[in-house]
Amino acid sequence: MDLAYWGFAHWPFQSRRKGELSPHGAAQDEAWARLLFLIDERRQFGVLTGAAGTGKSCLLQLAKSYSQRHGHRSIVVDATGMGGSEFAESIASEALGGDDIDVDPSRRWARIQQELRALALINQPATVLIDHFDLAAEPLAASVRRLSHLSAQAGGELTILISARNLRQASDLRDEVDLCVELTGWSAHETSQFIGDRLKAAGANATIFSPDAVCHVHALTGGNPAQVIRICDLALLATMNDGLRAVDAAIVEAAAAELSPFRGGTTSPAIPRQRVDAKILV
């Protein structure tokens, strides 16, 4: 990528350093406030929903860092492709530092129970964050419920936060959920602000994306953050390859055509949602 062509100090979008992007936009801010509420109040279950690319994994990683700074034992599990046995193995490995994890699933759960009792004895709360719950190889609701019950039996305080694309994919846990947190895309203003902020941070000294181009980016993506980033990346590259100095709506349209069609849409949760106002504390 030719940074000198644009006068960039670094590529503004896809080449961001891992973890640099923090919650951005009203939906992300409110979702973050709700996650803080669940952690700070030591509630039992929370579900974070939203289409792919809306920032669920980013928020869970931030929640892990936040809970660790506030004295919690914090564990993140990527449930992609997992079965119940693998889930227990992952929890045990994280809880015990990867040491002496028994191959017998029943003994694995016994070790987890011992660790939960140890946390309860020293009054240390725990936070377990399960990403991509909807992509597990088999339903994990029974294993998640077992983890919660073991903590309750030990007298511990365990908060479990789950991410899935929609609430239906966590429906087996709906009776356990204290709060549902739904992520949506950015507004047109937030999309425009994000593009402008990233270009400015990269050292751009001109308006590279025309107003029509920015509007087209939002219209094509519905404000989905990951899709905004991908289209802006491709649009910059296409503009540079054509020897042009500004991104217009036609270039954005062509860039979008190179991506797989995006299917957005969210499902309104059936679980009552509680309004929580808080500032982002990162």
Side-chain angles (χ1 to χ4, degrees), residues 30 57 81 87 109 157 207 255 264 271:
E30 183 172 350
S57 295
F87 175 77
W109 279 108
E157 293 182 308
T207 304
I271 296 174

PDB file of all heavy atoms in Angstrom, residues 30 57 81 87 109 157 207 255 264 271:
ATOM      1  N   GLU A  30     -23.979   2.414  24.408  1.00  0.00           N
ATOM      2  CA  GLU A  30     -25.022   1.903  25.295  1.00  0.00           C
ATOM      3  C   GLU A  30     -24.776   0.431  25.643  1.00  0.00           C
ATOM      4  O   GLU A  30     -24.965   0.002  26.792  1.00  0.00           O
ATOM      5  CB  GLU A  30     -26.406   2.051  24.666  1.00  0.00           C
ATOM      6  CG  GLU A  30     -27.518   1.590  25.594  1.00  0.00           C
ATOM      7  CD  GLU A  30     -28.909   1.901  25.083  1.00  0.00           C
ATOM      8  OE1 GLU A  30     -29.029   2.644  24.100  1.00  0.00           O
ATOM      9  OE2 GLU A  30     -29.863   1.385  25.684  1.00  0.00           O
ATOM     10  N   SER A  57     -17.189  -9.020  19.602  1.00  0.00           N
ATOM     11  CA  SER A  57     -15.920  -9.567  20.111  1.00  0.00           C
ATOM     12  C   SER A  57     -15.062  -8.478  20.729  1.00  0.00           C
ATOM     13  O   SER A  57     -14.414  -8.692  21.765  1.00  0.00           O
ATOM     14  CB  SER A  57     -15.150 -10.252  18.973  1.00  0.00           C
ATOM     15  OG  SER A  57     -15.857 -11.378  18.494  1.00  0.00           O
ATOM     16  N   GLY A  81     -17.209 -23.870  16.924  1.00  0.00           N
ATOM     17  CA  GLY A  81     -16.946 -25.282  16.664  1.00  0.00           C
ATOM     18  C   GLY A  81     -16.860 -26.165  17.893  1.00  0.00           C
ATOM     19  O   GLY A  81     -16.532 -27.352  17.776  1.00  0.00           O
ATOM     20  N   PHE A  87     -15.825 -27.341  25.570  1.00  0.00           N
ATOM     21  CA  PHE A  87     -16.130 -26.143  26.360  1.00  0.00           C
ATOM     22  C   PHE A  87     -15.598 -26.294  27.777  1.00  0.00           C
ATOM     23  O   PHE A  87     -14.944 -25.397  28.312  1.00  0.00           O
ATOM     24  CB  PHE A  87     -17.641 -25.907  26.373  1.00  0.00           C
ATOM     25  CG  PHE A  87     -18.078 -24.768  27.254  1.00  0.00           C
ATOM     26  CD1 PHE A  87     -17.926 -23.449  26.842  1.00  0.00           C
ATOM     27  CD2 PHE A  87     -18.634 -25.019  28.504  1.00  0.00           C
ATOM     28  CE1 PHE A  87     -18.321 -22.402  27.661  1.00  0.00           C
ATOM     29  CE2 PHE A  87     -19.026 -23.978  29.327  1.00  0.00           C
ATOM     30  CZ  PHE A  87     -18.870 -22.662  28.900  1.00  0.00           C
ATOM     31  N   TRP A 109     -14.841 -31.316  35.157  1.00  0.00           N
ATOM     32  CA  TRP A 109     -15.836 -30.504  35.849  1.00  0.00           C
ATOM     33  C   TRP A 109     -15.562 -30.444  37.352  1.00  0.00           C
ATOM     34  O   TRP A 109     -15.798 -29.419  37.989  1.00  0.00           O
ATOM     35  CB  TRP A 109     -17.244 -31.042  35.586  1.00  0.00           C
ATOM     36  CG  TRP A 109     -17.811 -30.594  34.273  1.00  0.00           C
ATOM     37  CD1 TRP A 109     -18.002 -31.349  33.153  1.00  0.00           C
ATOM     38  CD2 TRP A 109     -18.253 -29.272  33.945  1.00  0.00           C
ATOM     39  NE1 TRP A 109     -18.539 -30.585  32.150  1.00  0.00           N
ATOM     40  CE2 TRP A 109     -18.709 -29.313  32.609  1.00  0.00           C
ATOM     41  CE3 TRP A 109     -18.310 -28.074  34.645  1.00  0.00           C
ATOM     42  CZ2 TRP A 109     -19.221 -28.197  31.953  1.00  0.00           C
ATOM     43  CZ3 TRP A 109     -18.809 -26.941  34.000  1.00  0.00           C
ATOM     44  CH2 TRP A 109     -19.258 -27.008  32.673  1.00  0.00           C
ATOM     45  N   GLU A 157     -19.543 -15.693  43.152  1.00  0.00           N
ATOM     46  CA  GLU A 157     -20.226 -14.695  42.335  1.00  0.00           C
ATOM     47  C   GLU A 157     -19.660 -14.788  40.923  1.00  0.00           C
ATOM     48  O   GLU A 157     -18.522 -14.412  40.658  1.00  0.00           O
ATOM     49  CB  GLU A 157     -20.004 -13.295  42.897  1.00  0.00           C
ATOM     50  CG  GLU A 157     -20.678 -13.088  44.249  1.00  0.00           C
ATOM     51  CD  GLU A 157     -20.479 -11.680  44.766  1.00  0.00           C
ATOM     52  OE1 GLU A 157     -19.312 -11.238  44.819  1.00  0.00           O
ATOM     53  OE2 GLU A 157     -21.479 -11.028  45.118  1.00  0.00           O
ATOM     54  N   THR A 207     -10.168  16.286   2.013  1.00  0.00           N
ATOM     55  CA  THR A 207     -11.367  15.463   2.110  1.00  0.00           C
ATOM     56  C   THR A 207     -11.305  14.428   0.997  1.00  0.00           C
ATOM     57  O   THR A 207     -11.653  14.711  -0.150  1.00  0.00           O
ATOM     58  CB  THR A 207     -12.635  16.331   1.978  1.00  0.00           C
ATOM     59  OG1 THR A 207     -12.603  17.361   2.955  1.00  0.00           O
ATOM     60  CG2 THR A 207     -13.883  15.483   2.165  1.00  0.00           C
ATOM     61  N   ALA A 255     -16.495  -0.872  -5.219  1.00  0.00           N
ATOM     62  CA  ALA A 255     -15.834  -1.571  -4.112  1.00  0.00           C
ATOM     63  C   ALA A 255     -16.804  -2.515  -3.423  1.00  0.00           C
ATOM     64  O   ALA A 255     -16.457  -3.650  -3.074  1.00  0.00           O
ATOM     65  CB  ALA A 255     -15.277  -0.554  -3.117  1.00  0.00           C
ATOM     66  N   GLY A 264     -27.999  -7.653   6.557  1.00  0.00           N
ATOM     67  CA  GLY A 264     -28.096  -7.135   7.917  1.00  0.00           C
ATOM     68  C   GLY A 264     -29.371  -7.611   8.570  1.00  0.00           C
ATOM     69  O   GLY A 264     -29.977  -8.586   8.191  1.00  0.00           O
ATOM     70  N   ILE A 271     -36.793 -10.500  25.786  1.00  0.00           N
ATOM     71  CA  ILE A 271     -36.501 -10.260  27.204  1.00  0.00           C
ATOM     72  C   ILE A 271     -36.511  -8.763  27.462  1.00  0.00           C
ATOM     73  O   ILE A 271     -35.922  -7.998  26.711  1.00  0.00           O
ATOM     74  CB  ILE A 271     -35.117 -10.838  27.564  1.00  0.00           C
ATOM     75  CG1 ILE A 271     -35.161 -12.362  27.388  1.00  0.00           C
ATOM     76  CG2 ILE A 271     -34.694 -10.468  28.971  1.00  0.00           C
ATOM     77  CD1 ILE A 271     -33.832 -13.025  27.570  1.00  0.00           C
TER      78      ILE A 271
END
